[in-house]
Amino acid sequence: MIQPPLTKSQISELQKLVTQIAYEGLGPSATPKLLLLLEEFPAGDIIGLLYPALAEDMTYRGICSVLAEAWETIEDESLKRLARLNLAKVHLARANQTSGNISRRAIDNAAATLDSLPAKAQDWELVELKADIAVLRGKNADAIALYKRIPVTSRPQGEIQAKAGAAMRLDGKLDESLATLQAAIKRESGSSADHNRSWHELQQEQGLTFLAKGDVSAAGVCLVSSAKLSKTIVFSPRLDLAIQVARKGNQAAAKTYIVNVVNWNNSVSESVLTKVILR
């Protein structure tokens, strides 16, 4: 059984609610509506859409409850597993947006969620999530080894290479990270629109690596390039990179990025993003 995809109107409604929660402070009023909509798609490709709202406590707990209930009630085993994987991804997104004990608890919750799934041979999504956890725990060498195990045929390889590049950057291997990312970007440049998420993530990570090397101008170019995507692709804009680029003096790139993101997702207000990024 295949989970039916969200329609354009449902995606638009999710984006609107997430924007209200993440950027407009309307969590108490918008979260119940979000959860009702989410109940239809607990095993769908939804994490990128939900990501910005997961820093809000009530929203995070509510989404976890919806996905935990799906694990208990869905009869189709493949969808049950997807809902469980989404729960692990929610915990990891929460860990990425928080710090200290809150982040550590989210990492531990993600690990426990994965441990509750029966192991399968060559379950590359499980390998990827375990590598993501290793990065968050500072075990970057372990993460790189896990990412390298995942075959090209398992999913768009650019997404995996972006994560491997991030682990190398965090491990201080900046030149190796750039070489990995730029080789992957070269491969992705001729891909169809279906691979735009890979392009987005590779450019974002290349921008972060350039920032780590002190090249704010090159980081800004990557930031703007990452925002020029097909409107059909679900992804989470990396506002942290935009904020860093703006604060290090490249406000022009950050402004262009804001315009591109708003053109892609008109449920996000340009004035709201400007306030968040250029404050």
Side-chain angles (χ1 to χ4, degrees):
M1 180 178 177
I2 299 175
Q3 179 82 350
L6 281 74
T7 65
K8 287 184 178 179
S9 63
Q10 288 166 328
I11 289 175
S12 178
E13 181 64 13
L14 267 174
Q15 289 172 336
K16 177 182 176 182
L17 293 168
V18 167
T19 297
Q20 291 174 344
I21 293 165
Y23 308 124
E24 298 174 12
L26 300 179
S29 60
T31 296
K33 300 175 188 176
L34 178 72
L35 298 182
L36 284 173
L37 182 57
L38 181 61
E39 284 176 355
E40 299 181 52
F41 303 97
D45 188 11
I46 53 173
I47 305 304
L49 284 167
L50 298 175
Y51 193 97
L54 292 172
E56 204 277 320
D57 292 346
M58 181 178 71
T59 307
Y60 166 65
R61 290 194 296 269
I63 291 171
C64 288
S65 295
V66 169
L67 295 175
E69 184 177 355
W71 169 255
E72 298 294 336
T73 58
I74 292 177
E75 294 182 2
D76 182 277
E77 288 299 321
S78 62
L79 293 184
K80 181 189 287 282
R81 186 177 185 84
L82 287 174
R84 201 64 168 176
L85 288 172
N86 271 346
L87 179 56
K89 292 174 185 177
V90 164
H91 289 315
L92 287 174
R94 171 73 166 183
N96 273 313
Q97 296 182 69
T98 55
S99 60
N101 289 334
I102 295 175
S103 181
R104 284 191 288 273
R105 281 198 298 271
I107 296 168
D108 291 343
N109 286 337
T113 300
L114 292 183
D115 287 342
S116 70
L117 286 169
K120 291 184 178 181
Q122 298 183 333
D123 190 335
W124 301 118
E125 188 164 21
L126 213 61
V127 172
E128 180 183 351
L129 289 171
K130 288 181 177 178
D132 294 345
I133 289 172
V135 169
L136 287 169
R137 285 177 167 166
K139 299 179 179 180
N140 296 305
D142 292 345
I144 294 166
L146 287 168
Y147 289 135
K148 286 183 176 179
R149 284 180 51 198
I150 302 172
V152 174
T153 54
S154 67
R155 58 183 294 224
Q157 186 64 5
E159 296 175 44
I160 302 300
Q161 293 300 299
K163 290 185 174 185
M168 294 170 189
R169 169 176 58 82
L170 293 169
D171 208 32
K173 300 173 181 176
L174 301 183
D175 290 336
E176 185 177 351
S177 173
L178 276 180
T180 297
L181 296 167
Q182 289 170 353
I185 288 169
K186 185 176 181 180
R187 288 193 300 270
E188 294 290 334
S189 62
S191 300
S192 68
D194 291 339
H195 292 267
N196 273 350
R197 187 188 300 187
S198 295
W199 177 268
H200 163 75
E201 293 182 2
L202 287 163
Q203 290 287 2
Q204 295 275 20
E205 182 50 45
Q206 186 178 220
L208 288 167
T209 305
F210 275 127
L211 271 183
K213 289 176 72 70
D215 193 338
V216 180
S217 178
V221 171
C222 296
L223 177 72
V224 172
S225 180
S226 72
K228 296 178 179 177
L229 300 172
S230 164
K231 292 186 178 184
T232 62
I233 301 300
V234 176
F235 72 102
S236 175
R238 285 289 297 269
L239 299 187
D240 59 330
L241 176 55
I243 290 168
Q244 289 183 65
V245 166
R247 290 181 179 173
K248 288 181 181 293
N250 194 344
Q251 289 213 348
K255 288 177 181 177
T256 304
Y257 176 75
I258 290 168
V259 170
N260 280 320
V261 169
V262 172
N263 286 339
W264 169 76
N265 175 5
N266 56 22
S267 72
V268 180
S269 161
E270 184 172 341
S271 63
V272 168
L273 282 185
T274 299
K275 182 178 179 181
V276 171
I277 294 171
L278 301 180
R279 59 188 173 187

